[in-house]
Amino acid sequence: EADIYQTPRYLVIGTGKKITLECSQTMGHDKMYWYQQDPGMELHLIHYSYGVNSTEKGDLSSESTVSRIRTEHFPLTLESARPSHTSQYLCASSRTAERELGGELFFGEGSRLTVL
Amino acid sequence: GEDVEQSLFLSVREGDSSVINCTYTDSSSTYLYWYKQEPGAGLQLLTYIFSNMDMKQDQRLTVLLNKKDKHLSLRIADTQTGDSAIYFCAERWNSGYSTLTFGKGTMLLVSP
């Protein structure tokens, strides 16, 4: 069972508010990821991190920012939320390993954000 | 660049077999995965296959890989209503720094 947790699970906020989605994992994984999931199911990688103090932008441009100060924690922040940010946000983590089944992603349960 | 394609929807009756298909474009992919997403939840790894394998069976699940055609399939035997979910195919290069590329997902609906 994966030990990766996201909070809040559901959030409804007004336009212009600052929000932070929390993600924590207790598996000691060095790599962490944020995906945005369309209502149509497609997953888009928006941020990832190789380890502490490392953050990279993903395939889909996003107005959100991330930080990685501790190995286990990878929060995502929206400074000023807009209705276009309404989506499901999924956090994931993995080991950096090539020869074993490395690269397998463990996902959190997701944070569903609605911006009114 | 990599691209992973899946059919969007599959409907089967309980007890039948389900086959979900996926095609990928990157011949250097060495790891191929199937993930399952139940409503309101994150993705869960179902099974995986290394690119030097043709087939892998795990209880009701059978994965077939055709490297020549870059085609991957997931067969679920004796499909149950609890198998209703979205199934994602994903590929990864043989690099510790590469990320997974996911397909758009196939919604499987199992009717009683």
Side-chain angles (χ1 to χ4, degrees), chain A residues 33-93:
Chain A
Y33 313 79
W34 276 104
Y35 286 85
Q36 185 174 341
Q37 186 171 26
D38 293 342
M41 307 183 304
E42 189 171 359
L43 291 162
H44 300 284
L45 179 66
I46 52 174
H47 298 284
Y48 61 101
S49 167
Y50 296 137
V52 171
N53 294 326
S54 152
T55 60
E56 305 286 341
K57 290 192 179 298
D59 305 323
L60 180 70
S61 174
S62 173
E63 292 164 347
S64 58
T65 59
V66 291
S67 62
R68 191 86 183 275
I69 299 170
R70 302 198 317 263
T71 299
E72 62 272 19
H73 196 216
F74 191 42
L76 180 143
T77 298
L78 277 164
E79 290 293 332
S80 179
R82 296 206 302 269
S84 60
H85 297 138
T86 294
S87 192
Q88 163 100 315
Y89 293 85
L90 293 167
C91 180
S93 70

Side-chain angles (χ1 to χ4, degrees), chain A residues 9 31 33 35 37 41-43 45 48 50 88 90 96-105 107-109, chain B residues 8 31 33 35 37 40-43 45 48 86 88 92 94-100 102 104-107:
Chain A
R9 289 291 315 278
K31 294 173 75 175
Y33 313 79
Y35 286 85
Q37 186 171 26
M41 307 183 304
E42 189 171 359
L43 291 162
L45 179 66
Y48 61 101
Y50 296 137
Q88 163 100 315
L90 293 167
T96 299
E98 296 181 33
R99 295 190 183 282
E100 56 186 288
L101 181 57
E104 173 195 349
L105 265 59
F107 282 85
E109 293 287 291
Chain B
L8 292 183
Y31 302 92
Y33 306 83
Y35 280 84
Q37 184 180 31
L43 277 69
L45 181 68
Y48 65 93
I86 302 169
F88 290 91
R92 184 173 82 89
N94 185 21
S95 164
Y97 289 100
S98 65
T99 57
L100 267 66
F102 285 90
K104 294 182 180 180
T106 299
M107 180 176 289

Side-chain angles (χ1 to χ4, degrees), chain B residues 30 50-54 65 67:
Chain B
T30 55
F50 294 119
S51 60
N52 62 358
M53 298 166 66
D54 298 322
L65 176 60
K67 281 194 73 175

